[in-house]
Amino acid sequence: MANKMRVLVTGAGGFIGHHLVKRLKDEGCWVRGVDIKNPEYEESAADEFEIRDLREFSNCLLASRGIDQVYNLAADMGGIGYITSHLADISRNNILINAHMLEASRLNGIKRFLFSSSACVYAQYKQKSPDLTPLKEEDAYPADPEPGYGWEKLFAEELGRYYWHDYKFETRQVRFHNVYGPLGTYEGGKEKAPAAICRKVALAEDRGEIEIWGDGEQTRSFMYIQDCVEGLLRIMASDYHEPLNLGNDRMVTINELVDLVSAIAGKQLRKRHDLSKPQGVRGRNSDNTRLLHVLGWQPEISLEHGLAATYEWIKEELFSIGQLVKSVEDDEAAWLTSVRGGNSLVQKA
Ligand code: NAD
């Protein structure tokens, strides 16, 4: 008990943090989760869960007391609609969280500190084409990141490097590329493309229509949450201090993503493209050369498998909140899935 690794996960009420806490518990760690809110869809597995606003330095000092390792995932963030319309709030809130968490962790003698950065740090002028070359870590410079969210993440990466340079404070920098999976926000404006598309497809009638932001030809890669958590643990355990991509390197268009989800749902749907909505950069993909070199590993769960699990979870959520009504066929399909231990979903994809 006394020699268990003591880990702090900030943002533990959020999507990635919640899954990470569960995994760290499975690994035998003692875990403190901190957030300004509780997890939305199930209780945290953390040994301690504290509600704290990490923009306040004193809260960061208290959150990181008696801890060995920090995974700093707390951030004000959301999908493309949210991050393009809240530039000042996101920048101010996240600069405060990141600067205060770093200094509080140093003062508390934390042994390792991981910062969750984003592919939004990459230079926009390198992402103008849908069939772009995958982004290598050095493509973040000369800097031209996403306004607000991207600039703030890029500077927080730099800050982590300065702490290593000046204090030999052990930092890790992870650039996530679009993480998705069950227990992620799927409505309300902060959801991201895979969850929004799963919700829209689940709610649509077969042979009906769904709205897509932009012309749908913008490209992205998507990483399933299980791979994300695996990568986080591996990067924390490595001795690599520089920013590292953590993403899947299979690039798809948003239209292809919709087709995959429609196939999982067994629906034929028309796409109505709304060109007035934000779509972000035209193309983005992860170059995993360095990740493979450092870890000897890269994300491996297929988009078909991950989307099937995500779609099923969102559909069940919509049933439970009454936005979808179960038919006899749904009941029968759910029963078959439970009898087969959930494997039918994977086979169907
Ligand atoms: P999330 O929004 O689900 O989780 C972030 C959590 O931080 C939320 O629960 C939120 O309440 C909490 N938080 C916000 N302000 C806070 C404050 N002042 N004090 C304490 N907690 C606060 O997001 P996520 O998808 O789990 O992302 C986790 C991290 O990964 C974030 O840093 C995010 O920027 C980064 N990231 C995520 C993705 C992705 O695709 N999910 C992509 C790139 C980067």
Side-chain angles (χ1 to χ4, degrees), residues 13 33 39 49 57 95 135 182 214 225 240 297 299 306 340:
F49 192 94
F57 185 55
I95 283 168
L135 295 156
I225 183 66
Y240 195 71
W297 173 92
R340 291 174 183 152

Side-chain angles (χ1 to χ4, degrees), residues 11-17 34-37 52-55 72-77 97 116-119 149 153 176-180 185 192:
F15 170 48
I16 301 174
V34 174
D35 204 297
I36 36 169
K37 66 167 181 66
R52 294 188 184 281
D53 185 341
L54 296 173
R55 290 171 297 186
N72 188 30
L73 304 183
D76 183 4
M77 64 99 69
I97 294 171
S116 53
S117 186
S118 163
Y149 182 68
K153 289 285 190 197
F176 292 135
H177 290 248
N178 297 307
V179 188
Y180 72 99
T185 302
K192 315 211 182 63

